[in-house]
Amino acid sequence: MRKTLGRHRGNNEDGADLWDRSERRPSGRSRRRRRRGRAFTALAAAFAIIIGLGITGWYVLDTSGGCGGQDVPLSVAASPEIAPALTEIAAGFNENNDGVDGRCVEVEVRAAESADITYGITGSGPTAGETESDVWIPDSSLWSNLVREDSGDSAATDTGTSVASSPLVLARPAEADAPEDRPSWDALVPTSAPTSDAEGRQVQLVDPIRSSSGMATLALVAGAIGEEEEGRPQLVAALQTLQRSVAPDQEAAFNTLAENPEASSVLVLSEQAAWEYNQDHSDAPAQVDYPEGGTYMLDYPYIDRTSDPVVSRAADLFREALTRKKAQQVLLQDGFRTGEGEADPKVLTEDAGFQTSPPEQLPTPSTENVQQLTQAWNRLNLDSRMLTIVDVSGSMLEEVPGTGMNRMQTLAAAGTQGLGLFPDDSELGMWRFSVGINGDLDYEEVLPIRELTAEVDGGATQEDALANAFNTMQPVPDGDTGLYDTYLAAYRQMSDTYKADRVNSILMLTDGNNDDPDSISLDKLIATLKEESSPVRPIPIFTIAFGPDIDPEPLNKIAEVTGGAAYTTEDPTQIGSIFLEAFSHRLDPSGQTG
């Protein structure tokens, strides 16, 4: 007589009926105790039968088709928005999986920011919380690609499974006017210097250093501009525009959207995040638009991080369970799409602007592109500390053909426009120069270097004072151009007050060549700058010179020795665009200006 006693757990081909969303699940510890209790009961019964029968029969304990013994723990770190659904799926999985090597798999899901896991593995950025796990489900392959690029495939093995997906969309406040046409990525963000009368929608995104939606937005905008060298000023303008309205995290972005229901603004975020926002703001839900020409899709890849073969098989067991119909239905109910882009129209409803069919999908930005954009964002985001020096020599009174203004007035308009390129926490100051305008000196301080938002005399801000200085500055009718002494004095001033946490630079605005016979020579100036400069304390000099008689060679030599740049133009109305060109030098990783 042979009988087999085994521990069998609920088995279902689809896995669809293994759990119910409304059922309260006991804790993992309670489940383990219950499983072990059931196993103990089965063993006790078996031994009781054996003892009762003596040697008249024998029984074999067989665990095929079930599991028992010590659990195989599987830790899963998942992007916070998908973690609740995965936790629910894991509860059903833990009750019903057949295990590996006869041992039950116990999945524990925790929420973890994708950036934290990435930077925890690569060491390339700040992290918060635990970064170790057996399985990682970031919101985008952007992160896992960065890990593999930095640490190799052994650190993160992509299984090829997309647990869910969610395209990037544009969410606008509930009461804001709908756009006449669907916006495209190349028309979403201004790519020229801002003007005081500029109109249009403000674009907000979540910090791209910590957000897939933010980083993908940069990549999509950059892709629309193009990778050519001449496109760098346009990229600078776009990035600077985005930096003015970046939110540190999704919660802050949600608050901005809720607090300004009539604002002419759009927030770039995932479709699932827009659905989540609407769940919490049903009285004033956001309206969703899909960009013209396609968008990027968050793909929630299933990444195996373990080197233990048993745990890896357990990870594959849970991965397979996530692809089943019941698990996918849980994800659909939380506003996600399947990995293939299918959506539940009862969840992503048309009245909020959602569309059931997946939008056209744009390619995932390359790892190299992401790294370059991250570097560009950081370089442009580094606070500026700049001394602006304005030429007030007599030639600034000459009229600019076709404008009805003299050179000083045109420069003032361009300079005021250039102020709009700087974030509020930038530090700027101003000198003016000619020859002998301050005793024996060719230069004079107009405003000390201060943060743009700093309050100055009369209650105005430093930015207001700078704009007023530009607009009220008058040329010295018979003044000459004391260029070289001013360069050297400005460089030494910036060196003496250098701040390592900022980009320290000098901007010279002039319309002439040095014509002070008593000044330092060009050769001596170049030699002195070379001797006093330091690669670890860079102070690039940018010169914008306009007028028909400019000799660019001295300006280029000064720029070269300091890591700056020199620009010449006969049209001072082009200064705004040149400002952008000067800013684009920060994007050069080999330059001294970072």
Side-chain angles (χ1 to χ4, degrees), residues 56-399:
T56 60
W58 57 280
Y59 285 72
V60 176
L61 300 180
D62 182 4
T63 60
S64 63
C67 62
Q70 185 178 5
D71 289 338
V72 179
L74 183 70
S75 62
V76 177
S79 191
E81 70 278 9
I82 201 172
L86 295 180
T87 299
E88 181 176 336
I89 296 168
F93 173 85
N94 289 343
E95 287 298 313
N96 296 283
N97 71 81
D98 286 333
V100 292
D101 294 348
R103 297 165 59 190
C104 300
V105 178
E106 184 78 13
V107 176
E108 181 181 358
V109 178
R110 77 171 193 280
E113 295 288 350
S114 301
D116 284 333
I117 302 294
T118 300
Y119 300 146
I121 297 173
T122 64
S124 58
T127 63
E130 175 61 43
T131 60
E132 294 298 324
S133 65
D134 300 316
V135 170
W136 177 33
I137 304 178
D139 57 4
S140 170
S141 294
L142 287 173
W143 301 108
S144 53
N145 290 345
L146 286 171
V147 167
R148 286 198 300 275
E149 175 71 19
D150 185 86
S151 305
D153 290 340
S154 60
T157 303
D158 192 340
T159 64
T161 294
S162 175
V163 173
S165 66
S166 190
L168 293 191
V169 297
L170 306 176
R172 52 187 167 83
E175 299 176 26
D177 295 332
E180 294 182 4
D181 300 309
R182 282 203 302 162
S184 58
W185 293 109
D186 58 351
L188 186 65
V189 182
T191 57
S192 59
T195 59
S196 58
D197 58 349
E199 296 182 357
R201 291 181 177 269
Q202 181 186 40
V203 178
Q204 186 176 36
L205 75 164
V206 182
D207 184 1
I209 304 304
R210 300 197 59 81
S211 160
S212 294
S213 63
M215 177 50 66
T217 300
L218 297 192
L220 291 167
V221 170
I225 293 171
E227 299 181 359
E228 292 76 12
E229 180 76 15
E230 56 268 23
R232 291 208 311 180
Q234 287 72 40
L235 178 60
V236 168
L239 296 185
Q240 289 186 321
T241 297
L242 292 171
Q243 284 181 345
R244 291 188 184 89
S245 55
V246 67
D249 51 42
Q250 184 169 285
E251 182 179 358
F254 280 2
N255 290 338
T256 300
L257 199 62
E259 291 168 1
N260 300 277
E262 298 180 0
S264 179
S265 61
V266 292
L267 172 62
V268 183
L269 73 173
S270 73
E271 186 181 62
Q272 192 276 338
W275 172 86
E276 182 180 332
Y277 174 88
N278 287 354
Q279 299 308 296
D280 296 334
H281 302 83
S282 56
D283 55 332
Q287 292 295 308
V288 170
D289 292 310
Y290 294 82
E292 183 72 34
T295 189
Y296 175 68
M297 189 84 73
L298 303 187
D299 58 345
Y300 295 91
Y302 191 93
I303 308 298
D304 186 351
R305 295 183 59 194
T306 182
S307 59
D308 186 318
V310 174
V311 178
S312 186
R313 291 202 297 275
D316 194 58
L317 197 67
F318 185 55
R319 179 199 61 78
E320 194 274 333
L322 291 178
T323 65
R324 296 178 183 173
K325 182 177 180 181
K326 186 68 174 184
Q328 289 290 296
Q329 189 60 40
V330 173
L331 291 163
L332 291 173
Q333 288 298 311
D334 273 7
F336 294 96
R337 293 174 181 262
T338 66
E340 292 72 35
E342 298 175 2
D344 186 340
K346 296 179 181 179
V347 177
L348 299 177
T349 57
E350 291 184 359
D351 60 338
F354 295 111
Q355 63 182 45
T356 303
S357 59
E360 179 184 349
Q361 184 173 346
L362 297 177
T364 301
S366 70
T367 301
E368 180 182 9
N369 192 17
V370 168
Q371 291 171 327
Q372 290 174 347
L373 286 169
T374 299
Q375 186 177 65
W377 180 267
N378 285 334
R379 287 176 178 271
L380 289 175
N381 205 32
L382 189 62
D383 293 333
S384 294
R385 182 175 181 271
M386 188 175 78
L387 176 59
T388 300
I389 310 172
V390 182
D391 188 344
V392 292
S393 61
S395 57
M396 295 294 287
L397 288 168
E398 294 184 16
E399 184 176 346

Side-chain angles (χ1 to χ4, degrees), residues 462-478:
Q462 176 79 346
E463 184 174 9
D464 296 331
L466 287 165
N468 183 63
F470 268 123
N471 291 321
T472 59
M473 195 170 292
Q474 297 295 321
V476 178
D478 58 351

